[in-house]
Amino acid sequence: MSATVLVPDLADRLQLRAAGPGRWRNLHGDANQNGRAYGGQLLGQAMRALLLDMPAGRAPTMMQFLFLQGAMPEQPIVFEVTRLQEGKRFSARHVRGTQGERTVLDAHATCAAAMEGPSHRLGSAAPPGEQPAILPTLDDIPAATREALARMGGYGRGCDAAIDFRIPEMERQLDPRRAGPQLRYWLKAPQPLGDDPAVQIAAFAYLSDWWLNACMLLPHLGEAGERAMYISSLNHALWLHAPLRADDWLHVQTACVHSAGGRGLAVAQYHDADGRHVASATQDCLMAFAGR
């Protein structure tokens, strides 16, 4: 498996190989800026594994995920899927990821048959007429802000080749004097992923980890020159509300609802370009001064 060569196609990064009944092995590893496997890789590949075991006609509704130990990007991960429920409306699965004797992730997920019910939403879509394709990228972040972000958990050093990422209102959102515990952005896979819903959802899980916890750090950018910050995802939860395409633009509104005691909690809402609320996510993170 290749750990250091960039694989631009996100669909390739999500590929798994059968390794026995209910078991799959990943083929690619993506390193994050701490030298461990990128969390989105684990999320996307775990989602791909569990969907390979789901019956037809049942769409994913939820995944709750624990990052247990740092996964090594140069080593393969074996995903073992266990059936927990096969009901009239819902199917549930447990996924465990291991590298040798080390358990690096643990997840539960459900899929459901189509059902009718009341509908409403509470959320914030993008401003009307905003065009993500012409918005700034990470390459457009001013050097001083980039340096501050790099000290605050390693942000700002570059973008993943498998993610097209854009930041609206960059000057205001990333200004250390005005930044608050919120951030909105757009993202998508840069290459077409095809029409397989399982690939689209697995790719969305991959994307969902990108900059989700940045909202925890933004209020503290002004402190970046004083004490460096270490941030690491502890758990991640996804709720899928409607069919989505990860290769079309998704608007993401994030907020850190609480940070104290070395941990922070981020909440995200995902809307497609038509304003449909397609998914939500939460992430609990270690957020501590470096050296502690």
Side-chain angles (χ1 to χ4, degrees), residues 205-222:
Y206 183 103
L207 298 175
S208 71
D209 190 50
W210 187 256
W211 273 60
L212 174 55
N213 53 29
C215 58
M216 303 179 188
L217 303 174
L218 292 179
H220 309 286
L221 279 179

Side-chain angles (χ1 to χ4, degrees), residues 141-202:
I141 296 177
T145 304
R146 184 186 298 274
E147 292 175 6
L149 286 166
R151 289 191 294 272
M152 300 294 283
Y155 280 95
R157 293 176 182 164
C159 196
D160 188 321
I163 302 175
D164 197 343
F165 177 71
R166 307 300 175 106
I167 308 174
E169 306 173 276
M170 178 183 287
E171 290 187 4
R172 180 188 64 79
Q173 290 207 97
L174 301 185
D175 186 342
R177 300 164 298 178
R178 295 185 289 172
Q182 298 181 348
L183 180 69
R184 70 180 188 91
Y185 49 87
W186 293 85
L187 48 65
K188 71 179 183 72
Q191 303 89 8
L193 297 173
D195 295 327
D196 184 346
V199 174
Q200 292 284 347
I201 291 296

Side-chain angles (χ1 to χ4, degrees), residues 253-271:
Q253 178 71 56
T254 68
C256 179
V257 297
H258 188 261
S259 175
R263 290 171 46 234
L265 178 64
V267 178
Q269 297 178 3
Y270 299 81
H271 291 77

